[in-house]
Amino acid sequence: SGAYSLQISKDGFVAQQNSIAIPVDQDTYALPSSYTLVPRTFAGTVSLGDTATVHSGVQVALTGTNYSESYTTVDDGAYSFSTIVPGNYQLQLSKAGYVTQQIALSVPADTAAYVLPSVVGLQMRTVSGVVTYSGTTTDHSAIGVTLIGSGVNLSVQTSIDGEYVFN
């Protein structure tokens, strides 16, 4: 009998602490309400650039001690992970044709729903070069150049100087 503190916790969920009073005249006491643990979450948003209207298909991986999950973004670029334990993590964002981003972050213990404070922008990967004809020709335009591999099949034509750019 008396006043007590009831603590409820599980890794990946927000801990609860409640004050309870157990009556002196009862041998058995059932608490008047049940408790529901809420999962601790981590969320953020990725952008494929100012001109992109769809930000889907980005692989987002979150890795920490005893935690490793991945998620693929949909049109709005949002991602979310659940049952996160407070601590240090590596966030990796990748998509074919873009430069992979890796971010070290710390999920605080005092926040149930931690949101990365800024949008992560992925930059397009650029492949460029020059192709020219041998000899004295000065017009090197319209030479076909194709890049194939890892889900990519892109074709461009050279400029008058023989320059090409894939992005």
Side-chain angles (χ1 to χ4, degrees), residues 51-152:
T51 59
T53 57
V54 175
H55 306 279
S56 62
V58 177
Q59 295 295 315
V60 183
L62 185 64
T63 306
T65 305
N66 299 320
Y67 189 90
S68 181
E69 294 289 330
S70 61
Y71 181 85
T72 303
T73 61
V74 292
D75 290 355
D76 64 358
Y79 55 88
S80 179
F81 296 93
S82 188
T83 63
I84 302 297
V85 176
N88 297 321
Y89 292 86
Q90 279 290 340
L91 180 67
Q92 179 173 304
L93 302 102
S94 60
K95 182 174 179 161
Y98 291 82
V99 178
T100 297
Q101 291 276 342
Q102 288 197 350
I103 300 168
L105 59 96
S106 182
V107 175
D110 63 349
T111 304
Y114 180 71
V115 178
L116 199 62
S118 58
V119 173
V120 178
L122 291 186
Q123 292 180 330
M124 291 188 87
R125 185 174 308 276
T126 301
V127 176
S128 62
V130 176
V131 178
T132 58
Y133 296 113
S134 65
T136 59
T137 304
T138 58
D139 183 356
H140 303 283
S141 63
I143 300 171
V145 181
T146 302
L147 181 65
I148 301 171
S150 296
V152 173

Side-chain angles (χ1 to χ4, degrees), residues 9-15 37-42 67 81-86 89 111-112:
S9 64
K10 180 171 175 62
D11 282 349
F13 292 81
V14 178
L37 290 177
V38 176
R40 184 179 313 280
T41 60
F42 166 73
Y67 189 90
F81 296 93
S82 188
T83 63
I84 302 297
V85 176
Y89 292 86
T111 304

